[in-house]
């Protein structure tokens, strides 16, 4: 019985980290997801790798592209979001297991609008994440 209890406790120790590891994700479309690990402020857009770094504030997509609005973290910070800066990204969707098509950006708003015209797209952000309680 003692051996059984030891095995159960060891399993919990090595697999759960006693709740010290926290994460969440929202599936955008296909294999694309908005993922955060340990801190909500680390939310990035991923497809097996980081395509848009933290903090992803909004995401949308159509049949060919994914659009992302991002506020970068302050320099040398893992948790403070710079709300004074807004970057935009356009990601060409792929069915591949890894991102083998272009990721355009970061753009400012004017550059983003220009790239959208060039690609003949009208982006809509379907999913937004909170920014109102973050201070720069």
């Amino acid at each position: 019985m003692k051996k059984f209890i030891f095995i159960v406790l060891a399993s919990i120790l090595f697999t759960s980290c006693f709740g010290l590891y926290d994460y969440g994700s929202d599936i955008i479309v296909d294999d694309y997801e908005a993922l955060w690990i340990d801190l909500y402020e680390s939310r990035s857009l991923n497809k097996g790798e980081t395509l848009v770094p933290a903090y992803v504030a909004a995401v949308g997509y159509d049949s060919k592209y994914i659009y992302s609005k991002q506020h970068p973290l302050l320099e040398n910070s893992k948790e403070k979001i710079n709300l004074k800066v807004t970057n935009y990204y356009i990601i060409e969707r792929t069915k591949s297991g890894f991102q083998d098509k272009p990721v355009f950006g970061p753009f400012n708003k004017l550059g983003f609008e220009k790239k959208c015209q060039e690609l003949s797209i009208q982006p809509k952000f379907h999913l937004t994440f909170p920014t109102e309680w973050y201070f720069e």
Side-chain angles (χ1 to χ4, degrees):
M1 184 65 164
K2 287 181 183 180
K3 188 175 183 179
F4 174 76
I5 293 173
F6 174 77
I7 291 171
V8 169
L9 290 175
S11 303
I12 292 171
L13 175 65
F14 293 119
T15 60
S16 73
C17 296
F18 292 111
L20 297 176
Y21 179 75
D22 196 12
Y23 72 95
S25 68
D26 293 287
I27 301 299
I28 307 304
V29 65
D30 303 328
D31 295 335
Y32 295 91
E33 65 181 345
L35 171 72
W36 60 270
I37 298 174
D38 289 334
L39 299 168
Y40 294 115
E41 295 87 344
S42 71
R43 187 181 317 276
S44 58
L45 196 145
N46 298 273
K47 182 183 174 80
E49 63 180 311
T50 300
L51 303 175
V52 177
Y55 175 74
V56 170
V59 180
Y61 65 92
D62 63 24
S63 62
K64 189 168 181 181
Y65 297 101
I66 295 174
Y67 320 101
S68 181
K69 180 178 178 181
Q70 178 242 26
H71 298 294
L73 298 178
L74 289 173
E75 193 171 327
N76 299 320
S77 176
K78 291 184 178 181
E79 59 188 56
K80 293 184 181 171
I81 299 168
N82 186 349
L83 295 175
K84 294 178 182 176
V85 176
T86 302
N87 296 317
Y88 296 86
Y89 292 80
I90 300 171
I91 302 160
E92 189 171 341
R93 290 172 58 179
T94 180
K95 294 288 184 185
S96 173
F98 62 95
Q99 187 62 33
D100 59 353
K101 294 193 177 178
V103 176
F104 303 104
F107 297 109
N108 61 22
K109 186 156 181 77
L110 186 61
F112 177 68
E113 290 170 351
K114 185 177 178 182
K115 189 66 173 178
C116 287
Q117 280 185 329
E118 180 185 314
L119 297 172
S120 300
I121 54 179
Q122 296 179 338
K124 292 182 177 80
F125 294 100
H126 301 94
L127 187 59
T128 58
F129 302 102
T131 57
E132 59 271 357
W133 64 77
Y134 298 111
F135 303 99
E136 34 315 319

